[in-house]
Amino acid sequence: MVWLGLVRAGGEGQTGRMGSTVTCLLPDLPIVEMVVDGVLTADDGAEAMQTGLDLSMTHDIWATLADFTHMRQTAPAGDIVALAEVLANLGVEDRWREAVILPSDPTSAVWVHLWETAAVNRGLAVRAFHDRDEAVTWLLAPDAAPAPR
């Protein structure tokens, strides 16, 4: 798996252990961003989610933008559903929400829709978008709602 860049939170840089990027866009946007390029394994996804949640808790920023535009392959279906289950059991559903930018690869997009469905079915506010601007607008809207079940 290839992730791009540096982990930044409020201007403080940290390099994650995996070759990944999770960026907290402060002060311009109160959003934690994860960017995936290439293959996303179950371990990489779980570690990226943990890093994002750590940034959310540290900075009290609960909007996450997951950019999967250039993802070519993802974890197996069971791992995707299991990650949604773990996240749902953390008790963050009243604060946390995630906008996901769909991959350009149609096969990979199916797996991202599986993530969206698994998360929404567990009470999490996750919604998939084709367009980054629409995703950011949804995240910043005070009444952002999850995708319909």
Side-chain angles (χ1 to χ4, degrees):
M1 177 184 115
V2 178
W3 286 71
L4 308 171
L6 188 67
V7 176
R8 283 198 298 166
E12 302 169 48
Q14 303 172 340
T15 303
R17 287 178 299 156
M18 62 182 176
S20 69
T21 297
V22 177
T23 306
C24 184
L25 302 174
L26 292 174
D28 297 341
L29 294 172
I31 295 173
V32 173
E33 181 177 27
M34 295 181 278
V35 180
V36 176
D37 184 15
V39 177
L40 179 67
T41 67
D43 288 343
D44 293 338
E47 189 169 344
M49 184 66 71
Q50 182 61 58
T51 302
L53 287 171
D54 290 346
L55 288 170
S56 291
M57 288 185 263
T58 300
H59 298 280
D60 198 27
I61 295 173
W62 295 97
T64 300
L65 179 65
D67 186 345
F68 294 122
T69 304
H70 300 291
M71 184 178 72
R72 293 185 321 273
Q73 183 180 349
T74 189
D79 292 336
I80 293 169
V81 173
L83 185 57
E85 190 70 33
V86 167
L87 188 58
N89 289 330
L90 293 177
V92 297
E93 66 278 352
D94 59 333
R95 302 173 278 185
W96 182 84
R97 59 185 167 191
E98 180 178 61
V100 180
I101 302 173
L102 290 166
S104 53
D105 174 54
T107 302
S108 296
V110 169
W111 296 107
V112 173
H113 280 299
L114 173 64
W115 161 250
E116 177 188 27
T117 300
V120 168
N121 286 345
R122 284 155 182 79
L124 299 167
V126 175
R127 187 166 171 198
F129 296 88
H130 291 281
D131 179 79
R132 181 183 181 86
D133 291 337
E134 288 178 15
V136 169
T137 298
W138 178 78
L139 279 173
L140 297 176
D143 61 344
R149 292 183 193 198

